[in-house]
Amino acid sequence: MKNIKLKTTAFALSLLFSFPINLNATHALQSDILKTVDGMFMDGPTIALVKRYQLDSKSILFGKRQKDGTREGTYIFNGTNYSAVQLCELEEQNIISKKETERLLGEMKDDFEKISAPFQTIVRSVKPIMVELIFESCRLRKRNDSLIIRWAAPNAKDERELLNEHVKTINDFEAFIVDLHNFLDDLLKSCPKGMKLYEEWKAEQLAKARNRANS
């Protein structure tokens, strides 16, 4: 078990540098819909939610960040904590049984629903607008078979139902989270007005926090 843990830890560390969650790999989207999205739907508070989601999705993928800067997975397999990325490697080595895979996937899907909850009202109202941007992002990244394209479709099923139907392995789940994370990276890069509003909003929140602390 110790050798497995060391191997998967090394694997996860390597992915921190090679995994496609990388700001340097973002793509600027060109759709005319951005004229409607940037600075309007994608304003300061909404972008703050997006960034919160991205941090939470990284916690699912790589584990929660500890005080010393390292990350520790939250999914327990054989008495050891693993992240989704580490479990994906174990799955590829056929170390995890089908029953354990189903259990772990259930926990991951539950966590995804929790971090997605703040978006539900927003997503339902703007989904028709975002479809074209999701398609463009996936095309630029050569991810034309991504599950987020199905998720974005006008006749898409309930989110959990969609995951249950198409996400059968930890690898499937990992790919879905990465694609969604990367789309949001592309969206943020393509919204300069929104990012400016976000920086202003963040400065206002910090100022309010300082005033409360000094009062």
Side-chain angles (χ1 to χ4, degrees):
M1 178 57 63
K2 184 176 180 180
N3 289 338
I4 292 174
K5 186 174 181 181
L6 287 173
K7 183 174 181 179
T8 53
T9 299
F11 176 77
L13 287 173
S14 71
L15 286 180
L16 288 174
F17 299 98
S18 63
F19 216 54
I21 300 178
N22 186 330
L23 290 176
N24 295 325
T26 54
H27 297 270
L29 307 176
Q30 303 298 325
S31 172
D32 288 340
I33 289 178
L34 286 166
K35 295 175 183 177
T36 301
V37 172
D38 187 14
M40 297 179 69
F41 160 61
M42 291 297 289
D43 57 8
T46 301
I47 288 179
L49 279 176
V50 170
K51 286 183 170 289
R52 178 74 258 174
Y53 167 79
Q54 290 187 300
L55 286 174
D56 289 341
S57 66
K58 278 189 176 181
S59 293
I60 292 175
L61 287 171
F62 301 118
K64 288 187 176 180
R65 189 175 293 281
Q66 307 300 301
K67 291 182 179 180
D68 62 0
T70 61
R71 288 183 179 271
E72 181 177 64
T74 58
Y75 304 107
I76 299 176
F77 172 63
N78 282 350
T80 301
N81 287 64
Y82 291 97
S83 67
V85 169
Q86 291 171 317
L87 288 171
C88 193
E89 172 71 359
L90 296 185
E91 181 182 62
E92 290 176 358
Q93 297 175 12
N94 295 317
I95 292 174
I96 308 177
S97 68
K98 182 178 179 181
K99 183 178 180 180
E100 281 293 277
T101 296
E102 290 175 355
R103 176 184 67 81
L104 292 164
L105 269 178
E107 293 178 10
M108 292 176 193
K109 291 173 183 177
D110 288 344
D111 286 344
F112 175 71
E113 285 189 319
K114 289 176 185 176
I115 70 172
S116 300
F119 287 100
Q120 293 307 312
T121 301
I122 297 173
V123 167
R124 290 191 186 100
S125 62
V126 302
K127 206 171 186 181
I129 298 175
M130 304 303 285
V131 169
E132 185 173 326
L133 298 175
I134 290 173
F135 274 47
E136 183 181 358
S137 174
C138 288
R139 177 178 56 78
L140 290 170
R141 291 178 177 275
K142 296 179 173 56
R143 291 289 298 140
N144 296 319
D145 61 344
S146 172
L147 183 56
I148 67 169
I149 292 177
R150 290 178 181 268
W151 172 84
N155 59 345
K157 298 180 179 180
D158 172 80
E159 193 170 81
R160 185 58 181 256
E161 187 179 354
L162 189 74
L163 289 178
N164 287 339
E165 180 177 345
H166 296 284
V167 175
K168 302 297 186 182
T169 67
I170 297 171
N171 187 280
D172 292 338
F173 178 81
E174 179 192 61
F176 172 72
I177 296 293
V178 170
D179 286 343
L180 186 52
H181 190 293
N182 283 341
F183 160 66
L184 293 174
D185 263 352
D186 292 346
L187 181 60
L188 295 182
K189 182 182 179 67
S190 308
C191 292
K193 293 178 183 177
M195 289 301 296
K196 182 179 179 181
L197 290 173
Y198 165 70
E199 293 299 334
E200 293 171 355
W201 177 87
K202 185 169 65 172
E204 289 174 4
Q205 300 307 306
L206 290 173
K208 288 178 181 178
R210 285 194 295 268
N211 290 337
R212 286 195 295 268
N214 294 330
S215 62

